[in-house]
Amino acid sequence: MLIILFFHLAFAQNNEIIRDYFIYKRVPIVVGFSCGNITNDFQIIKMLNKVGISVSIKGPSAEYNFYKFLNVSYWRLGVFVDLRCQDQNARAIFNQSTSHRMYDYAYNWLILAKNMSHCLHKLNDTAFSIITDFVVSIPNYDYYELYDIYNPNKERGGILNITRYATWNKDTGLKIFLSKAKILRRWNFHKLKVIVSSAVKRKPENIPLLEYLEDHDNINLEDWPKFGFTLVGLFADIFNLSMHVKAFTKWSNYTNGPMMDSLIEGTVDIGYQPSLIVPKRLDVAKVLMEIMPARTCFMFLTLPSTTIQISSIFRPLAWNSWYMIFTCFIISFLIFSFVIKSEHIKSQDYGSSLLTTLGAICQQGAQNMPFKFASRIALFQIGVYGLLIYNYYSASIVSARLNIPLNKLNDSLYILVASKMKLSSENTVIMNILLQDTNPEMIYFKNYWSQKPQQQKIMEVEEGVRQIMDGGFAYHCVPEHAYYYMNNYFDQKMICQLTEIHWLRPTRVALYTNKKGYYHEVGKIGLMKIFATGLLKRELKRTFVRKPYCNHDASSIESVTIYEAAPIILLLISGMILSIIICLIENIIFLITKPKQ
């Protein structure tokens, strides 16, 4: 009778431990693996429901779908396992939870064991990580001791850590010793190995990989992997990790690229090559954090127009201004003619009045100088009006000449194709991803791009920049790669003429970890620390070449081209031809009418 009473008291205390622990963890739902005692299971359900926690319990002989029973997506789940019964298949529970990766933030485990060695004998810590919440309760006379257990990464040589977490008895309840967050008390990995990799194509064979990645004086075209390596190195220093660095120089025999395939296989923990976030990659790896902006574009020079534009003669003044000038000219001509006629000057007719008015407005003088005050005042106001119009027109031409707008193409691949420029591209993985885009603009450009010969599609960046300088050529690359050479080759005029049409519009790229995610959470925390302290911004400025600055205020003298002067020359030639035609007509009329006279 005393033995039965003892077991009832022990079960009651265990039930209270479960209740107090999960109240402390603030979990809304609990599932349990009990010894199958119906009375005890009912008491646990009643006790937890009373404090607002939903609960479901399975005994050792119950049949159920393990994944559906423990799977959660939107809330945290508490799990308790009673190892004190002989028929409890603990190995199956721990093995299946390991295969389904059920030791992350979503799960809070509480194990009720007779002693620690019995629990460790059945435990599978392969999927444990630094964020694992796994607590074992061991009875010790009239109270219970709770131990926190985790393994940072068993596959990389991590060892099981057991730390006294709390105590519990019926009188004082739960007394927690480790109140800090898991990451804060487990941050030191004690030089645990983390394998990082990337694709590095331009490393010389005689230079060690680490020396090459740490060289920022000659960063050139390997800026992306060097930038990612710097960030991963800072994160490794924060958590005292030991980096083992790999690099892939060949791309053959890989389905998703060498880095992604290594992440899928689990032979690599973190890829230090910043990569685009695409659905295909999200299925095989985890995004660690978006770390930098990225874009690619076709770059070319917008050269001044080589076509003759007759409308440039009228451009300095708006069309409504020209209409008003013509209206004022007609009014001035009529008033001047009226004044001349009212003064009864026989030598003046409408034709001479018209020429006098036109000459005064054009600042060319008068055909005949009037003698009376009224006609002189009329001519004077016409001259003043013409002087003002002349100065406005001249000032507008000078201002337009100093600020000649470049007729740049819109940021559209349709317009780029219509321009008929020669196209080429840097050999980059991004281009292969862009060609898979189903956007109508991308499909249209892909059809045009596929028609080009393969030898014309790919070109080295330095040669591409040199051909940009010749004009009529557009080169596609990561802009920062081209800026490195443009700062050396381009003059100020070319820098201001530089035009970009995006193939990959501005987006952000991220670092990836493998799906197992042993370093995923600490990686995010480490990168957030790097971002918050300004180190990320500093590395961006240090690593990537800035776009050459176009100084529009710089004083420069440019000659007027023949295409700009052509409309004025054509106007002069048209006037000369018109004068010759009128002269011929006048002489013919004179010769015809002379015999008659």
Side-chain angles (χ1 to χ4, degrees):
M1 189 70 179
L2 291 174
I3 296 175
I4 296 174
L5 179 61
F6 172 78
F7 278 112
H8 276 291
L9 291 173
F11 278 122
Q13 289 186 351
N14 288 331
N15 296 346
E16 293 179 5
I17 291 175
I18 295 171
R19 179 198 62 190
D20 293 349
Y21 180 76
F22 288 123
I23 288 175
Y24 172 74
K25 287 296 183 177
R26 298 180 180 178
V27 293
I29 299 176
V30 170
V31 298
F33 298 92
S34 70
C35 291
N37 188 307
I38 298 176
T39 304
N40 186 64
D41 293 348
F42 176 77
Q43 289 178 353
I44 294 174
I45 294 172
K46 182 179 179 181
M47 187 178 295
L48 292 178
N49 287 341
K50 192 174 182 180
V51 294
I53 299 176
S54 302
V55 60
S56 178
I57 299 177
K58 301 296 182 182
S61 60
E63 295 183 1
Y64 58 93
N65 185 312
F66 185 88
Y67 178 74
K68 289 184 177 180
F69 186 52
L70 266 71
N71 183 45
V72 289
S73 300
Y74 306 106
W75 54 78
R76 290 196 300 165
L77 180 69
V79 184
F80 73 87
V81 182
D82 195 341
L83 299 184
R84 296 167 302 172
C85 42
Q86 296 180 356
D87 54 349
Q88 184 70 271
N89 192 356
R91 289 186 183 275
I93 295 173
F94 293 141
N95 288 339
Q96 289 205 53
S97 59
T98 296
S99 63
H100 293 299
R101 319 297 298 179
M102 293 179 173
Y103 295 104
D104 56 14
Y105 279 122
Y107 295 89
N108 296 96
W109 290 78
L110 176 63
I111 310 301
L112 307 173
K114 298 176 182 178
N115 53 65
M116 184 60 70
S117 61
H118 177 255
C119 176
L120 297 180
H121 179 68
K122 296 180 178 294
L123 187 61
N124 183 350
D125 62 337
T126 304
F128 280 22
S129 68
I130 198 173
I131 61 171
T132 298
D133 196 316
F134 192 91
V135 173
V136 178
S137 171
I138 305 296
N140 189 0
Y141 297 105
D142 60 342
Y143 70 97
Y144 289 82
E145 290 189 352
L146 282 70
Y147 293 90
D148 178 45
I149 298 178
Y150 78 97
N151 191 334
N153 189 346
K154 188 174 183 178
E155 290 187 3
R156 300 291 179 254
I159 60 175
L160 200 65
N161 288 264
I162 302 174
T163 309
R164 192 164 180 259
Y165 179 74
T167 59
W168 183 92
N169 65 25
K170 188 173 182 180
D171 297 329
T172 60
L174 191 65
K175 185 178 180 181
I176 303 295
F177 301 131
L178 302 179
S179 57
K180 288 185 178 180
K182 291 190 290 289
I183 301 297
L184 292 178
R185 67 176 186 263
R186 301 173 179 176
W187 68 270
N188 192 346
F189 280 79
H190 301 284
K191 296 299 179 181
L192 189 66
K193 181 168 65 175
V194 53
I195 302 177
V196 299
S197 74
S198 174
V200 177
K201 299 186 293 183
R202 301 179 181 274
K203 185 186 80 67
E205 293 183 359
N206 60 338
I207 298 179
L209 178 60
L210 283 177
E211 182 180 338
Y212 177 72
L213 292 173
E214 292 172 352
D215 179 16
H216 284 264
D217 295 329
N218 186 25
I219 202 157
N220 201 355
L221 304 183
E222 296 280 21
D223 46 5
W224 283 30
K226 288 187 177 183
F227 175 70
F229 174 78
T230 301
L231 295 184
V232 174
L234 292 172
F235 143 69
D237 290 339
I238 292 174
F239 292 97
N240 196 20
L241 288 161
S242 174
M243 279 204 306
H244 291 241
V245 186
K246 292 183 177 181
F248 300 98
T249 57
K250 297 181 180 179
W251 290 81
S252 58
N253 301 324
Y254 290 105
T255 305
N256 303 284
M259 187 185 75
M260 283 295 167
D261 280 359
S262 299
L263 291 174
I264 296 169
E265 295 168 0
T267 57
V268 169
D269 299 310
I270 301 175
Y272 59 85
Q273 168 77 37
S275 305
L276 292 176
I277 302 175
V278 293
K280 184 179 179 181
R281 289 175 175 169
L282 295 177
D283 294 334
V284 298
K286 286 184 178 181
V287 173
L288 187 58
M289 182 178 175
E290 296 180 358
I291 59 171
M292 57 178 274
R295 63 191 181 99
T296 67
C297 55
F298 284 93
M299 312 175 79
F300 55 92
L301 296 182
T302 297
L303 302 176
S305 176
T306 56
T307 59
I308 298 174
Q309 297 182 358
I310 302 298
S311 61
S312 61
I313 298 175
F314 304 99
R315 192 177 300 159
L317 298 177
W319 282 109
N320 53 3
S321 299
W322 286 113
Y323 297 148
M324 186 58 67
I325 290 172
F326 180 76
T327 303
C328 292
F329 168 73
I330 298 298
I331 295 173
S332 300
F333 159 66
L334 294 176
I335 293 174
F336 184 71
S337 300
F338 173 76
V339 172
I340 291 296
K341 286 297 180 181
S342 64
E343 292 179 348
H344 304 289
I345 300 175
K346 295 182 180 180
S347 60
Q348 295 285 350
D349 55 10
Y350 288 105
S352 59
S353 298
L354 178 63
L355 290 175
T356 300
T357 304
L358 185 61
I361 289 179
C362 296
Q363 302 293 299
Q364 299 301 313
Q367 180 185 13
N368 294 309
M369 183 61 65
F371 297 100
K372 295 188 177 181
F373 287 106
S375 56
R376 287 189 174 187
I377 291 173
L379 184 61
F380 176 75
Q381 64 88 21
I382 294 173
V384 172
Y385 172 70
L387 176 65
L388 295 175
I389 294 298
Y390 171 78
N391 281 281
Y392 274 113
Y393 188 85
S394 301
S396 179
I397 288 180
V398 172
S399 176
R401 188 66 187 81
L402 293 175
N403 299 280
I404 301 175
L406 290 173
N407 188 20
K408 293 190 174 184
L409 300 181
N410 292 334
D411 192 359
S412 168
L413 293 175
Y414 292 113
I415 295 178
L416 179 65
V417 172
S419 68
K420 303 298 181 182
M421 282 192 291
K422 296 179 181 178
L423 305 179
S424 188
S425 174
E426 176 188 8
N427 188 13
T428 173
V429 153
I430 296 178
M431 185 175 65
N432 299 329
I433 297 174
L434 293 174
L435 290 173
Q436 299 174 11
D437 198 325
T438 57
N439 184 287
E441 184 179 14
M442 296 296 182
I443 295 174
Y444 173 81
F445 185 78
K446 178 183 177 181
N447 295 333
Y448 175 78
W449 181 259
S450 61
Q451 298 173 6
K452 297 179 65 65
Q454 184 63 29
Q455 62 271 18
Q456 296 181 12
K457 291 181 181 180
I458 304 301
M459 184 181 294
E460 290 296 325
V461 179
E462 185 173 7
E463 179 61 25
V465 172
R466 290 183 184 276
Q467 293 205 25
I468 288 175
M469 297 170 64
D470 298 333
F473 177 80
Y475 183 70
H476 171 259
C477 64
V478 176
E480 290 78 12
H481 296 172
Y483 295 158
Y484 175 82
Y485 296 104
M486 289 176 180
N487 283 322
N488 297 325
Y489 298 156
F490 278 22
D491 57 24
Q492 185 63 35
K493 181 179 179 182
M494 289 181 177
I495 291 173
C496 293
Q497 291 175 346
L498 182 64
T499 306
E500 299 175 354
I501 291 181
H502 287 95
W503 193 351
L504 171 65
R505 299 200 174 270
T507 182
R508 298 190 71 83
V509 293
L511 297 180
Y512 283 83
T513 63
N514 60 40
K515 273 284 188 179
K516 294 181 179 179
Y518 292 108
Y519 299 109
H520 185 73
E521 295 297 332
V522 292
K524 289 195 295 185
I525 293 171
L527 290 177
M528 289 175 66
K529 284 180 177 289
I530 293 170
F531 175 78
T533 54
L535 291 175
L536 178 61
K537 187 175 182 181
R538 186 199 69 176
E539 291 301 324
L540 283 171
K541 290 183 178 179
R542 185 173 73 137
T543 304
F544 295 101
V545 181
R546 296 185 182 182
K547 183 177 182 179
Y549 175 67
C550 172
N551 187 5
H552 293 284
D553 298 330
S555 57
S556 60
I557 299 175
E558 296 183 8
S559 301
V560 177
T561 64
I562 186 63
Y563 302 103
E564 295 177 273
I568 310 301
I569 296 173
L570 290 176
L571 180 63
L572 175 63
I573 294 173
S574 300
M576 294 170 64
I577 293 173
L578 180 62
S579 300
I580 292 172
I581 293 173
I582 293 175
C583 179
L584 291 174
I585 293 173
E586 287 180 341
N587 281 278
I588 291 172
I589 293 174
F590 176 75
L591 292 175
I592 293 174
T593 57
K594 183 177 180 182
K596 294 181 180 180
Q597 293 176 352

